[in-house]
Amino acid sequence: MGLLLGIDLGSQSLKAVLLDERLALKGSGRRSYAIDFPRPGWAEQDPRAWENALGPAIADALAAVGCSPGDVAALGIAGQLDGCIPVDAKGHFSHPALIWMDRRADASLNRVRHRLGTRRVRTLTGANLDGTHMAPKMRWLIDETEAGRRAALFHQPVTYMVERLTGVRAIDHGLASTSLVYGLIEGGWVPELMAAFDLQPKLLPPLRRSEDRAGRLHAEGARLTGLPAGIPVAVGTGDDFSTPLGGGVMQPGIVADVLGTAEVVGALDREPRIDPSALTETHRYVGDRFHYIENPGWVSGGALEWLRATLGIADFASFDRLAAAVPAGAEGLLFLPALNGAMTPEWIAGARGCFYGLTPAHGPGHLARAVLEGNAFGLKDVVMALRAMGVAADRLRLLGGGARSDLWAQIRADATGLPAERARLADASAVGAAILGGVAAGILPDLAGAAALMNADGPVIEPDPARHRLYGELHGRYRQLFQSLKPMYGDGTP
C-alpha cells in the first residue's frame, strides 16, 4: 500500500512522520527554525525556513525506517493556523508570515467594531474579534505594506505549503473558520464580514474539504520534498484540528488538551454552540459531522521553556524533578499564564504573566511547580466554559510533546477532576495530517475509521481527591488575582 507521510508545520519546528496503512509509526524526522520578534507584539517567520526544513525532515523519517522516497504513497500537511502570507500571482511570498502570536493587527479592529460590533462577529463566525486572526492581519498588511497592497492572494502557512508543492490553491473549512470572514451557518465566506474588513473573496484560496485531494506533487514540490512527482497531497488543515484527529478524537465527551508551545483545549459537538463568556471559539472540524469548540491556546509550553532557559535548567526531565519535589500549591506561589496576552480566564491582549506570593523561601522548584499549576488552571477555565455551554467533557486526552510527562498529566487530572489519558502517538498533528493524506489518496476509507485506530494508549491517570480540593481553592485565588490586576492591563497595542 505504501507509506503515509504527515507533515506538521509547527511554530518552532517542522515534523515529518511515516505511518503504514494500519497507522503504526514507522519513522519520524524533525527540523527546527526560529521565530523573529522584530518589535514588541510582532512575530514573523520566513516561509523559506519551512521549505528548507521540509526535505531534511522527510529524509530523516525515511532513513529511520530504511525506506526510499518511492515508498511514500500519500502526503498530508497540517500546522500552525492564524498566520498570514501575501503572495503574488505565481504563489511567491512578498512579506514574512505574520504567525499566530503576532498581535500588530489589534489596533486595526476598531473599524469592524464600529461597523458590525463584537457580538455580531461572534454570532456569524463563532470566533472572537481578535487581531491574531487572519482577516485583521490581511487588513493590516494591505494598509501598512506595499506587499499587502500588491498581493494577489493571502495564504495561511498550510495553504502556502500546499500551493508550493502542488501549484493548487485551497483552504479547508477548519482553517477558514478561524479567519473572521467565514460563516459557520453559511459554510463559506460571508459578504457582510468581507465588507467589514474591506476585503474581497478573491484574496483567499477556494474552499475545499480537508481530506480532499488538493493535487499531486509537481516538479517543484518534488524538489522541495525529495519525493517523486505525482504523489497525492491532501488539502490539509490547521494543527488545532489535525492534532485531535491524530489523537483519535472523533466523538463528543473527550477534552483534547494539546501540550505544545501553546496549550490548545477543545471538545467536539454536533451543534455550532457559541460561548457567551467568549473564552472559547467555535470552528469547523475535519469531516462533516462536528464543530470543534476550543480555546485556541495560550503560551503554555512556551512559558515552561522560557522559565527553563531563564533559570538555566538543563532539560525538562530536570525541570520535572525540581517541580515534583515541591508540594501541590507551590507553598502559596501562583502564576498567571499570560506571557503574550491572556487567553484564559479571559481574552485580554494587554494582560501579562506574573508570579504572585514570592517569599525568600521560594526557589526554582516552586517557580517550576507554579508555572505547571497556572497552566493547569487555564485548562480548568476552559473545561468549566465547555460544561456551561452543554458540551460533553468527561475525560482529558493529552496530546503533544508535553503529554509525555507524568507530572504534567497528574497535575491536569488533579486540577480538573477528570481522568487523563494519553494519545497513542505524541506527534498527533503530523499523524492527523498523514490520516488526511491517506483518505485523500484512497488508502484509508474515511476519517472515523482511521481515528478509531488511534485510541488512547497506556494507563489512565486518575485525579487525586485531596489535591483536587486543594486546586479548587487555589483556582479561585488564581481567578481573584487575575481580576485584581485588570486595572493594570493595557490594550495590547505594541
Side-chain angles (χ1 to χ4, degrees), residues 14 17 75 94 224 231 269 272 312 316 430 434 445 482:
L14 184 146
V17 300
L75 170 60
S94 52
L224 288 171
I231 294 174
D269 198 277
F316 277 114
F482 186 89

Side-chain angles (χ1 to χ4, degrees), residues 8 16 37 94 96 117 149 209 220 231 240 252 282 284 315 339 364 375 411 421 429 477:
D8 175 33
F37 299 98
S94 52
R149 286 186 285 275
R209 295 191 310 167
E220 177 63 6
I231 294 174
D240 283 22
T282 302
R284 285 283 302 275
D315 50 37
L339 293 185
N375 283 304
I411 289 175
E421 54 193 26
S429 178
R477 294 187 62 215

Side-chain angles (χ1 to χ4, degrees), residues 29-118:
R30 178 192 304 244
R31 283 293 186 277
S32 299
Y33 37 70
I35 301 172
D36 297 323
F37 299 98
R39 289 175 54 180
W42 292 25
E44 299 180 348
Q45 281 180 326
D46 186 330
R48 286 171 295 195
W50 310 330
E51 296 175 16
N52 293 338
L54 186 61
I58 293 172
D60 287 351
L62 287 167
V65 71
C67 288
S68 69
D71 293 318
V72 176
L75 170 60
I77 303 174
Q80 52 173 298
L81 64 165
D82 282 329
C84 189
I85 311 147
V87 300
D88 63 19
K90 295 182 178 180
H92 299 136
F93 76 91
S94 52
H95 190 280
L98 311 188
I99 67 169
W100 61 273
M101 65 177 72
D102 189 287
R103 302 209 68 101
R104 72 186 72 181
D106 284 338
S108 66
L109 296 174
N110 287 335
R111 75 180 78 181
V112 181
R113 290 192 185 96
H114 177 72
R115 291 180 182 183
L116 285 184
T118 301

Side-chain angles (χ1 to χ4, degrees), residues 21 39 43 52 69 82 87 102 120 123 136 148 162 167 201 206 221 255 275 311 342 373 416 423 425-426 452 482:
E21 67 273 13
R39 289 175 54 180
N52 293 338
D82 282 329
V87 300
D102 189 287
R120 178 63 175 164
T123 299
V162 169
V255 178
D275 183 357
L311 297 180
E373 292 175 343
T416 61
L425 298 175
F482 186 89

Side-chain angles (χ1 to χ4, degrees), residues 258-340:
V258 185
L259 303 172
T261 304
E263 184 161 353
V264 181
V265 181
L268 298 179
D269 198 277
R270 295 182 188 277
E271 300 297 324
R273 301 179 188 273
I274 305 298
D275 183 357
S277 75
L279 181 61
T280 65
E281 295 189 327
T282 302
H283 302 302
R284 285 283 302 275
Y285 196 54
V286 296
D288 300 319
R289 296 175 60 193
F290 295 113
H291 293 84
Y292 192 55
I293 302 173
E294 62 159 346
N295 182 293
W298 60 95
V299 179
S300 175
L304 296 168
E305 172 58 25
W306 160 77
L307 184 64
R308 185 203 64 76
T310 300
L311 297 180
I313 301 171
D315 50 37
F316 277 114
S318 303
F319 187 102
D320 280 11
R321 284 194 294 271
L322 284 169
V326 172
E331 296 187 313
L333 190 60
L334 292 172
F335 174 74
L336 291 184
L339 293 185
N340 199 51

Side-chain angles (χ1 to χ4, degrees), residues 189-452:
W189 311 123
V190 177
E192 182 180 1
L193 295 166
M194 287 285 186
F197 284 98
D198 289 328
L199 299 174
Q200 298 294 323
K202 67 180 181 180
L203 294 175
L204 289 155
L207 284 159
R208 302 274 300 280
R209 295 191 310 167
S210 54
E211 65 271 30
D212 284 349
R213 181 185 298 182
R216 295 179 180 271
L217 276 186
H218 59 17
E220 177 63 6
R223 184 189 71 81
L224 288 171
T225 60
L227 301 174
I231 294 174
V233 179
V235 170
T237 192
D239 52 10
D240 283 22
F241 318 118
S242 63
T243 302
L245 172 65
V249 179
M250 281 296 285
Q251 71 272 16
I254 302 172
V255 178
D257 183 15
V258 185
L259 303 172
T261 304
E263 184 161 353
V264 181
V265 181
L268 298 179
D269 198 277
R270 295 182 188 277
E271 300 297 324
R273 301 179 188 273
I274 305 298
D275 183 357
S277 75
L279 181 61
T280 65
E281 295 189 327
T282 302
H283 302 302
R284 285 283 302 275
Y285 196 54
V286 296
D288 300 319
R289 296 175 60 193
F290 295 113
H291 293 84
Y292 192 55
I293 302 173
E294 62 159 346
N295 182 293
W298 60 95
V299 179
S300 175
L304 296 168
E305 172 58 25
W306 160 77
L307 184 64
R308 185 203 64 76
T310 300
L311 297 180
I313 301 171
D315 50 37
F316 277 114
S318 303
F319 187 102
D320 280 11
R321 284 194 294 271
L322 284 169
V326 172
E331 296 187 313
L333 190 60
L334 292 172
F335 174 74
L336 291 184
L339 293 185
N340 199 51
M343 299 291 282
T344 180
E346 299 176 35
W347 287 37
I348 301 180
R352 291 296 178 262
C354 78
F355 288 99
Y356 175 77
L358 280 167
T359 74
H362 291 121
H366 295 85
L367 296 171
R369 180 102 195 185
V371 172
L372 287 172
E373 292 175 343
N375 283 304
F377 294 152
L379 166 63
K380 183 179 175 70
D381 290 333
V382 180
V383 170
M384 291 170 60
L386 290 171
R387 285 180 160 171
M389 297 167 64
V391 177
D394 305 324
R395 63 192 189 276
L396 305 175
R397 185 161 298 174
L398 307 180
L399 307 109
R404 299 183 181 97
S405 169
D406 290 339
L407 179 63
W408 301 10
Q410 188 65 63
I411 289 175
R412 277 163 174 75
D414 293 341
T416 61
L418 296 177
E421 54 193 26
R422 291 185 175 91
R424 202 178 95 194
L425 298 175
D427 289 327
S429 178
V431 171
I435 290 173
L436 294 175
V439 174
I443 297 171
L444 299 174
D446 55 48
L447 296 178

Side-chain angles (χ1 to χ4, degrees), residues 134 138 152-154 171 179 181 189 194 200-206:
M134 186 182 189
M138 291 171 65
L153 187 107
F154 291 85
I171 187 169
S179 67
V181 287
W189 311 123
M194 287 285 186
Q200 298 294 323
K202 67 180 181 180
L203 294 175
L204 289 155

